[in-house]
Amino acid sequence: MTSIRPADPADAGEIARVYVASWNQGFGELMPPAVLTAERVARWRETVAGGNWWVAEYDGEFAGFVGIGDSRDPVEAGLGELDTIAVDPAYWRHGVGTALLRKALGELAAQYDQAILWTLADYPQGQNFYVKSGWTLTDTTRADGTQLMYRHKLQNLKSAT
């Protein structure tokens, strides 16, 4: 059973571990194990302390996390942004990602009318996950061309509640 709770700075080590594991599994080891340094864990601790972050536990075990906030894209100022979502590969297809995304969308809808997210262009599994959850692919890419933006009209969620 999946439960969601607010993230705590003490979760930083597990967040870093899950982040690296999910990237390595999903993107062919694009994240070197060296990112699990004390410095990186400290950076996650600061990030979690300063924002809207939640963690998922599955049967009491740390299984994933999600974070939201104001859009960091200067062109898309005033919107919300799904900052990061990651699930430990051991818990893929257990509903953990869906539970985290629902939590994030609910929190975003309470604060914004629309939100964006960025993801890698060569990641169809992630893209399908977002589309099924109401995100719409836009034609916006970043300068390196590897990331795609999705947009969610959160007012649709507000009217459903």
Side-chain angles (χ1 to χ4, degrees), residues 24-53:
N24 284 341
Q25 183 70 31
F27 305 116
E29 300 190 18
L30 294 175
M31 296 286 286
V35 300
L36 285 177
T37 63
E39 176 185 328
R40 183 62 59 128
V41 172
R43 200 171 317 151
W44 275 112
R45 192 173 291 116
E46 290 172 18
T47 299
V48 168
N52 294 310
W53 292 79

Side-chain angles (χ1 to χ4, degrees), residues 90-114:
Y91 298 100
W92 286 3
R93 305 214 186 327
H94 285 77
V96 174
T98 299
L100 285 166
L101 190 55
R102 279 189 193 130
K103 176 64 175 174
L105 286 171
E107 295 293 329
L108 284 164
Q111 300 174 49
Y112 308 95
D113 289 330
Q114 292 188 49

Side-chain angles (χ1 to χ4, degrees), residues 69-148:
D70 293 334
S71 170
R72 297 167 291 172
D73 187 327
V75 175
E76 298 292 339
L79 302 179
E81 183 172 346
L82 177 67
D83 183 326
T84 305
I85 184 169
V87 175
D88 185 322
Y91 298 100
W92 286 3
R93 305 214 186 327
H94 285 77
V96 174
T98 299
L100 285 166
L101 190 55
R102 279 189 193 130
K103 176 64 175 174
L105 286 171
E107 295 293 329
L108 284 164
Q111 300 174 49
Y112 308 95
D113 289 330
Q114 292 188 49
I116 62 170
L117 69 82
W118 293 92
T119 189
L120 295 176
D122 294 327
Y123 188 47
Q125 178 181 345
Q127 293 169 11
N128 291 336
F129 175 69
Y130 296 126
V131 168
K132 286 179 185 177
S133 299
W135 296 87
T136 303
L137 179 63
T138 71
D139 60 359
T140 306
T141 59
R142 289 195 173 158
D144 64 8
T146 60
Q147 299 197 11
L148 304 172

